[in-house]
Amino acid sequence: MRPGPGGCCCRRPVRANGCVANGEVRNGYVRSSAAAAAGQIHHVTQNGGLYKRPFNEAFEETPMLVAVLTYVGYGVLTLFGYLRDFLRHWRIEKCHHATEREEQQVIVRIFDSEKSLRYTGNIIKDVINMGSYNYLGFARNTGSCQEAAAKVLEEYGVGVCSTRQEIGNLDKHEELEKLVAWFLGVEAAMTYGMGFATNSMNIPALVGKGCLILSDELNHASLVLGARLSGATIRIFKHNNMQSLEKLLKDAIVYGQPRTRRPWKKILILVEGIYSMEGSIVRLPEVIALKKKYKAYLYLDEAHSIGALGPTGRGVVEYFGLDPEDVDVMMGTFTKSFGASGGYIGGKKELVDYLRTHSHSAVYATSLSPPVVEQIITSMKCIMGQDGTSLGKECIQQLAENTRYFRRRLKEMGFIIYGNEDSPVVPLMLYMPAKIGAFGREMLKRNIGVVVVGFPATPIIESRARFCLSAAHTKEILDTALKEIDEVGDLLQLKYSRHRLVPLLDRPFDETTYEETED
Amino acid sequence: MATTAEQWVLVEMVQALYEAPAYHLILEGILILWIIRLLFSKTYKLQERSDLTVKEKEELIEEWQPEPLVPLVPKDHPALNYNIVSGPPSHNIVVNGKKCINFASFNFLGLLDNPRVKAAALASLKKYGVGTCGPRGFYGTFEIDVHLDLEDRLAKFMKTEEAIIYSYGFATIASAIPAYSKRGDIVFVDSAACFAIQKGLQASRSDIKLFKHNDMADLERLLKEQEIEDQKNPRKARVTRRFIIVEGLYMNTGTICPLPELVKLKYKYKARIFLEESLSFGVLGEHGRGVTEHYGINIDDIDLISANMENALASIGGFCCGRSFVIDHQRLSGQGYCFSASLPPLLAAAAIEALNIMEENPGIFAVLKEKCKQIHKALQGISGLKVVGESLSPAFHLQLEESTGSREQDVKLLQEIVDECMNRSIALTQARYLEKEEKNLPPPSIRVVVTVEQTEEELGRAASTIKEVAQAVLL
């Protein structure tokens, strides 16, 4: 049997509509009998050839014992917290964090919870950085980018002191916007001073009351804030689940606005390129197919994926081999792969003209600082290969190799890793609250800096350590890091994986479950 | 004994059955059969909603046409074509190819092209590179010369306990307000508040009560009304927070807020004051500490002071300062702080050096005040234009004395004045607003900004140029 479109790994006869003959297909999973003995299920997509390369994403299920122990751990933590609060209240234990002044206490407490953050004051040198979003390695203090930025700083100074529409539009900004448009393959682009603000200030300019926003479950806080500020109705679909999205689209068009049943003015789908907490990549071909079928608009936030995915670093659109014109609004940030700060939005000329006149940022907020602009220009030219060296191409290749190597080694060691095989964001599951702090400290003792995340940024039992790979990591650095991670993993008993890759977040979508719910 | 008691009860029941009248038994039998029938009959759905067939749904999906994603912008939209500035936006600025004197950038202390500031930024660039590649919580906090240092210096300069830095001026107040004020809290805000404050209030979902611009009597009336409401429901009042949000120097009107009365109201009605000092930081007060120093008020009475570093400090970013108890909360709940990359080190180093310069020459604030007074006096009495703003505000507006009736016409007239002034090498700009989004849209105006770098001769020339052009265009 020849392998089916999309490169699946089973050997069953494939029917025309992409279903496998006597295996079950649910949401793109195929239970292949060859591996049935080991109980393996892979995410394989066979949607009639939408995908030109295998899309391997896996979220291994939490082992039952670990889940129970994690809840117990949180329970103990909460009780301990109450005990210490009690001791502090009765002055048995000294209170270290700041308290409200006496004369201000007559007024209602300004906020309810008291959390404190203290710096430890220790200095540790020569730590391998596995936590910064430095995907292509442009965040360094030597090299051509830095020299160009230094020259521009001498000439232009640091600040701008005005908004884009008043007198803050420098010739550098126009140059940058043309370059960004060329890089992305769109008609025009516009840049902003802060990535977070790009989302929260432009989504309200695009949609308003009477429009519908369909947003992924795990979208970033800036997208959520922008959607809320716009005043449109927000509906959430399950993470990366295309059936859920299609169901919402169908219902929205057929039934219209709630109560009045008027048709929606516009429907905007908000997705991200790479989700930074899960390491998953959006199923862009399917989203674009759905968007075309139902005439919705697509807003793609490529904060993490621009520069990091794709053979020439053009992001998730190039990774899947799609046409940038299919995405209505391509948004991204310069903070991660370009080593600068700021954000951009690219798209058709009408879109960018509209944003130039109606975006909140263009009217009320300062434009980008000139040396930062120069850093972006130089690094973008380097990635495109226009500066005459092949440094850009090498960095991209190095990042892709690092990603595959690192993920493979960690899986072999037995850790539970979430996410797509090609994403440079690698979340390693820790689960228990005590291990969160312990992992961070142990790794720092061995001179490796990692980022550990817990509730509320992640679901309560799924706390994780997140590694961000970079093109600046050489194989030796990765090997050192892997050795230490292995050691700490054995010490803290983190190797939970039983190689049973059961889909966790993408539960098999049952048509009947939605039919019965009342609207 | 229990079984005999049961049997006894059973015997009684059977006897009662024999003794009951016939109709009673028949009625009960019918009822029991009816209940059994109801229990086993099929449930039916309410037929309110007629379910559409699959074909009808497909037709609806085919028919639906969305609006275009963005409406077409006419080619002559006043804000579509930006002025292009070649080179740095410093005192001598080149706008659209013309050399002009800059009366439009908020570069109050002239620190934009100060060589010391540039040198400090350059040193930081050589040491750290440009970006920080991470938020403050994930390896984005640099200590020496950068973030912690800047926060320390700002706190010391403003004589507060602590300060916190944001990487964008607009996001500072827009993230600070929702961190404290939640749904159910009450906020009293001035009606001339700037757009960033409006967005922060919208994100916080609190009850917003606008009071007339700088009208303390109106504010007191609203506070009294709220007090009466509170007495009706004291339990709710005990957990509701009340905030008063004002600006030091208002961006939209150029006036100063009456801070002493506000502090009195604060203690009388138990509210918190948030002060937005973007325009007054580095301008008012003997040492440039803002409105609190100008009026001589104890800074601990103000709960939060927020400012952006994009005006007097000529850098990028913003900060909030106040008591530790208040500011620490933002480190975990300020959205623009936790979820966004930190300030690039070169911008922070520039801000630190600018602070150094401010501390070393406290004389520049008096010089700036003098220049403001001078140009205010010179611009009085232009026929057709009136000056809006106080004499000590370095950023004020020139509005049309009589509007033509339509905002578009007004904007066109003012743009003609601005273009002609630009031809005579005075760079001005119109104050830009989002017409549909502002709560209280100010009338169209020309923004004039005074900086320490402008000489007296230049100020005089600007005033006379504006007078001539206004006369030519408006008459």
Side-chain angles (χ1 to χ4, degrees):
Chain A
M1 317 283 171
R2 60 169 177 78
C8 79
C9 52
C10 74
R11 302 221 194 100
R12 304 280 176 156
V14 178
R15 290 208 204 106
N17 65 352
C19 288
V20 175
N22 34 9
E24 329 146 24
V25 174
R26 279 193 182 180
N27 201 30
Y29 305 97
V30 173
R31 194 185 278 271
S32 61
S33 77
Q40 279 188 323
I41 305 171
H42 291 272
H43 287 224
V44 175
T45 47
Q46 297 193 19
N47 288 0
L50 274 180
Y51 287 80
K52 301 190 179 83
R53 57 193 294 168
F55 186 85
N56 293 322
E57 207 163 82
F59 300 93
E60 189 171 330
E61 193 177 354
T62 315
M64 177 59 85
L65 180 63
V66 174
V68 168
L69 286 177
T70 310
Y71 280 122
V72 169
Y74 275 108
V76 169
L77 198 64
T78 317
L79 286 174
F80 191 62
Y82 278 124
L83 175 68
R84 287 193 65 188
D85 265 348
F86 177 73
L87 293 178
R88 275 191 218 116
H89 187 255
W90 289 103
R91 313 288 168 111
I92 302 175
E93 183 179 332
K94 267 220 305 243
C95 193
H96 292 286
H97 52 247
T99 48
E100 181 66 291
R101 291 270 179 82
E102 285 299 325
E103 64 266 15
Q104 307 285 350
Q105 274 183 7
V106 289
I107 309 178
V108 176
R109 282 171 60 93
I110 191 165
F111 50 82
D112 285 322
S113 57
E114 284 174 29
K115 307 169 214 166
S116 59
L117 204 61
R118 273 197 321 252
Y119 295 108
T120 56
N122 301 335
I123 300 180
I124 309 176
K125 291 199 189 248
D126 291 330
V127 174
I128 298 179
N129 188 353
M130 309 236 28
S132 287
Y133 304 135
N134 184 13
Y135 298 132
L136 291 178
F138 280 110
R140 40 188 152 152
N141 57 354
T142 52
S144 59
C145 298
Q146 184 252 11
E147 283 162 23
K151 252 202 311 216
V152 168
L153 193 139
E154 287 285 350
E155 195 192 332
Y156 283 79
V158 164
V160 182
C161 297
S162 189
T163 64
R164 284 302 286 280
Q165 283 194 1
E166 292 186 10
I167 205 151
N169 181 40
L170 307 176
D171 47 1
K172 281 260 157 238
H173 294 130
E174 302 276 330
E175 194 190 326
L176 174 64
E177 285 175 359
K178 283 203 192 67
L179 190 64
V180 169
W182 188 12
F183 181 74
L184 295 172
V186 291
E187 286 180 22
M190 181 165 180
T191 51
Y192 304 94
M194 184 192 190
F196 186 97
T198 310
N199 278 331
S200 63
M201 294 207 252
N202 288 307
I203 298 181
L206 293 174
V207 290
K209 266 202 163 68
C211 304
L212 176 66
I213 291 184
L214 297 175
S215 152
D216 190 291
E217 222 179 352
L218 299 177
N219 268 339
H220 189 251
S222 57
L223 287 165
V224 172
L225 183 64
R228 272 182 42 209
L229 284 177
S230 67
T233 313
I234 307 175
R235 299 221 173 120
I236 300 186
F237 63 91
K238 290 205 207 290
H239 178 59
N240 240 357
N241 187 325
M242 293 301 115
Q243 275 90 335
S244 168
L245 177 59
E246 181 158 16
K247 177 81 188 170
L248 283 178
L249 277 168
K250 264 204 198 119
D251 283 347
I253 301 181
V254 166
Y255 294 117
Q257 300 190 24
R259 291 190 304 125
T260 59
R261 298 281 192 231
R262 285 202 199 109
W264 295 103
K265 287 195 204 155
K266 301 177 227 188
I267 300 184
L268 187 68
I269 306 177
L270 294 180
V271 285
E272 290 189 38
I274 292 185
Y275 291 90
S276 59
M277 275 303 153
E278 304 289 314
S280 50
I281 300 184
V282 66
R283 294 174 189 273
L284 199 59
E286 294 178 60
V287 174
I288 290 190
L290 279 176
K291 160 198 115 93
K292 282 189 178 149
K293 181 172 172 196
Y294 293 99
K295 294 176 259 188
Y297 298 114
L298 180 60
Y299 185 106
L300 180 64
D301 178 343
E302 292 207 78
H304 286 268
S305 52
I306 191 77
L309 286 182
T312 59
R314 299 304 209 267
V316 71
V317 171
E318 197 195 16
Y319 175 76
F320 286 113
L322 300 167
D323 188 4
E325 300 209 350
D326 286 334
V327 180
D328 301 287
V329 188
M330 291 185 68
M331 175 264 168
T333 61
F334 299 120
T335 328
K336 282 99 188 175
S337 302
F338 300 97
S341 73
Y344 66 86
I345 288 193
K348 295 219 161 47
K349 190 154 188 324
E350 295 92 48
L351 171 72
V352 174
D353 277 343
Y354 182 79
L355 287 177
R356 279 168 80 105
T357 48
H358 288 85
S359 158
H360 304 185
S361 167
V363 186
Y364 294 106
T366 330
S367 28
L368 276 167
S369 163
V372 173
V373 171
E374 186 61 28
Q375 159 85 8
I376 304 169
I377 292 179
T378 328
S379 57
M380 210 177 257
K381 284 195 178 145
C382 185
I383 294 177
M384 290 203 278
Q386 280 179 7
D387 59 342
T389 66
S390 62
L391 182 62
K393 228 171 155 30
E394 284 168 16
C395 281
I396 298 171
Q397 267 169 355
Q398 180 74 26
L399 177 65
E401 277 172 27
N402 284 356
T403 310
R404 274 192 279 269
Y405 177 66
F406 197 74
R407 276 178 174 268
R408 191 170 49 86
R409 286 290 305 276
L410 282 179
K411 280 214 185 86
E412 282 169 11
M413 286 183 203
F415 293 101
I416 297 186
I417 307 285
Y418 272 12
N420 195 301
E421 270 184 19
D422 288 319
S423 108
V425 177
V426 186
L428 186 148
M429 302 310 288
L430 298 173
Y431 299 115
M432 303 196 195
K435 292 191 187 178
I436 305 175
F439 190 79
R441 277 192 291 268
E442 289 293 319
M443 294 303 285
L444 203 56
K445 259 198 251 177
R446 293 165 173 75
N447 275 6
I448 303 199
V450 299
V451 160
V452 286
V453 209
F455 183 77
T458 64
I460 190 158
I461 54 169
E462 290 170 21
S463 31
R464 57 200 73 176
R466 192 180 66 175
F467 300 104
C468 291
L469 297 166
S470 161
H473 290 145
T474 60
K475 193 149 182 305
E476 291 82 38
I477 294 181
L478 284 184
D479 283 332
T480 326
L482 283 164
K483 192 165 69 73
E484 306 294 352
I485 296 173
D486 201 8
E487 225 180 280
V488 174
D490 283 327
L491 179 68
L492 294 176
Q493 294 187 359
L494 290 172
K495 300 191 179 173
Y496 302 116
S497 176
R498 290 182 227 145
H499 296 291
R500 279 202 71 240
L501 305 165
V502 175
L504 171 67
L505 295 176
D506 287 321
R507 297 230 157 66
F509 187 82
D510 218 347
E511 272 294 337
T512 55
T513 51
Y514 269 67
E515 292 296 354
E516 284 169 10
T517 52
E518 298 287 305
D519 210 9
Chain B
M1 297 300 115
T3 41
T4 46
E6 276 168 19
Q7 277 176 347
W8 188 61
V9 170
L10 203 60
V11 162
E12 283 247 325
M13 274 170 57
V14 173
Q15 255 188 333
L17 205 64
Y18 278 128
E19 285 171 12
Y23 71 88
H24 195 110
L25 287 174
I26 295 173
L27 198 60
E28 294 210 4
I30 293 177
L31 277 172
I32 292 175
L33 286 171
W34 190 258
I35 290 173
I36 292 175
R37 181 179 164 234
L38 278 177
L39 279 175
F40 286 108
S41 69
K42 264 177 72 171
T43 51
Y44 60 92
K45 282 193 194 154
L46 296 165
Q47 290 297 325
E48 265 177 28
R49 206 178 57 185
S50 55
D51 279 346
L52 301 165
T53 63
V54 175
K55 189 157 170 297
E56 283 174 347
K57 284 189 189 175
E58 278 178 21
E59 273 177 25
L60 279 171
I61 292 174
E62 286 257 347
E63 277 172 13
W64 179 68
Q65 286 297 336
E67 280 181 7
L69 179 60
V70 287
L72 271 179
V73 174
K75 286 249 174 332
D76 57 354
H77 195 284
L80 181 57
N81 298 312
Y82 296 162
N83 296 320
I84 302 186
V85 174
S86 343
S90 51
H91 178 59
N92 292 310
I93 193 175
V94 179
V95 183
N96 295 336
K98 293 175 260 210
K99 281 211 180 94
C100 304
I101 311 279
N102 191 348
F103 276 86
S105 313
F106 291 112
N107 181 15
F108 301 135
L109 302 177
L111 294 172
L112 197 58
D113 47 0
N114 186 305
R116 270 176 65 182
V117 168
K118 282 191 195 173
L122 197 61
S124 180
L125 174 63
K126 291 209 162 73
K127 191 169 168 194
Y128 293 108
V130 175
T132 54
C133 288
R136 287 291 292 266
F138 296 164
Y139 299 111
T141 305
F142 296 8
E143 188 190 355
I144 314 177
D145 297 341
V146 196
H147 303 114
L148 295 185
D149 207 25
L150 180 56
E151 289 181 358
D152 220 19
R153 291 293 308 280
L154 281 167
K156 282 207 185 74
F157 179 75
M158 296 291 288
K159 298 209 177 121
T160 59
E161 285 177 20
E162 204 172 321
I164 181 175
I165 304 183
Y166 286 82
S167 52
Y168 204 43
F170 189 97
T172 312
I173 190 68
S175 306
I177 296 178
Y180 300 102
S181 179
K182 312 275 183 198
R183 206 193 279 265
D185 296 333
I186 304 169
V187 179
F188 300 95
V189 66
D190 192 298
S191 50
C194 67
F195 195 72
I197 296 181
Q198 290 172 26
K199 284 292 136 186
L201 290 171
Q202 195 185 350
S204 74
R205 301 196 191 176
S206 326
D207 289 326
I208 305 172
K209 297 199 163 50
L210 294 163
F211 62 91
K212 290 203 201 63
H213 176 56
N214 267 351
D215 188 345
M216 291 297 108
D218 201 29
L219 174 60
E220 182 144 19
R221 175 185 63 90
L222 283 172
L223 284 165
K224 273 209 183 76
E225 279 175 18
Q226 185 58 39
E227 214 183 7
I228 299 173
E229 279 285 325
D230 287 341
Q231 276 158 2
K232 289 190 200 148
N233 194 345
R235 271 185 78 191
K236 186 170 162 209
R238 245 182 299 138
V239 292
T240 323
R241 292 174 270 261
R242 282 163 280 274
F243 298 96
I244 302 176
I245 301 187
V246 283
E247 291 186 43
L249 263 180
Y250 287 90
M251 172 95 95
N252 293 348
T253 60
T255 47
I256 206 176
C257 75
L259 202 54
E261 284 104 40
L262 278 166
V263 174
K264 273 199 216 103
L265 284 173
K266 164 192 165 158
Y267 282 114
K268 187 167 167 201
Y269 292 98
K270 316 270 191 304
R272 306 262 181 191
I273 297 188
F274 284 2
L275 191 57
E276 221 276 327
E277 290 224 66
S278 291
L279 247 56
S280 48
F281 177 75
V283 168
L284 291 181
E286 205 186 306
H287 298 275
R289 295 200 176 97
V291 160
T292 46
E293 202 185 22
H294 180 80
Y295 282 116
I297 294 179
N298 181 7
I299 199 145
D300 287 331
D301 284 334
I302 310 292
D303 295 277
L304 183 84
I305 296 182
S306 145
N308 66 18
M309 307 196 282
E310 293 161 3
N311 300 335
L313 283 180
S315 178
I316 307 261
F319 69 93
C320 290
C321 60
R323 301 188 299 276
S324 284
F325 181 69
V326 176
I327 298 295
D328 244 354
H329 181 67
Q330 274 182 56
R331 293 203 193 270
L332 290 171
S333 348
Q335 286 216 327
Y337 181 82
C338 302
F339 294 113
S340 175
S342 48
L343 189 63
L346 60 98
L347 299 171
I352 296 178
E353 193 60 31
L355 264 181
N356 285 343
I357 296 178
M358 271 169 67
E359 285 181 346
E360 287 165 20
N361 324 348
I364 42 176
F365 307 114
V367 170
L368 183 62
K369 271 203 201 48
E370 273 306 311
K371 299 203 181 192
C372 295
K373 278 204 192 96
Q374 186 190 345
I375 197 164
H376 253 268
K377 232 172 37 186
L379 284 173
Q380 302 286 351
I382 303 186
S383 51
L385 288 178
K386 63 176 178 201
V387 175
V388 174
E390 294 193 18
S391 65
L392 41 70
S393 160
F396 55 90
H397 298 256
L398 287 170
Q399 284 175 11
L400 289 170
E401 258 173 19
E402 282 174 32
S403 159
T404 57
S406 95
R407 197 188 165 90
E408 264 188 56
Q409 260 316 90
D410 288 348
V411 167
K412 271 212 188 81
L413 266 179
L414 289 170
Q415 190 59 38
E416 277 183 41
I417 300 180
V418 167
D419 288 335
E420 186 51 37
C421 284
M422 212 102 75
N423 282 338
R424 301 187 191 198
S425 27
I426 300 287
L428 291 172
T429 175
Q430 274 199 58
R432 302 280 183 188
Y433 304 103
L434 272 177
E435 279 148 27
K436 299 212 180 72
E437 312 265 340
E438 284 262 6
K439 279 215 174 95
N440 280 325
L441 187 59
S445 60
I446 300 179
R447 201 197 294 275
V448 181
V449 179
V450 183
T451 72
V452 278
E453 288 185 322
Q454 293 153 356
T455 61
E456 290 198 15
E457 181 252 341
E458 281 166 353
L459 287 171
R461 189 153 64 90
S464 54
T465 315
I466 298 176
K467 267 201 186 108
E468 285 167 24
V469 172
Q471 269 189 337
V473 171
L474 294 173
L475 291 177

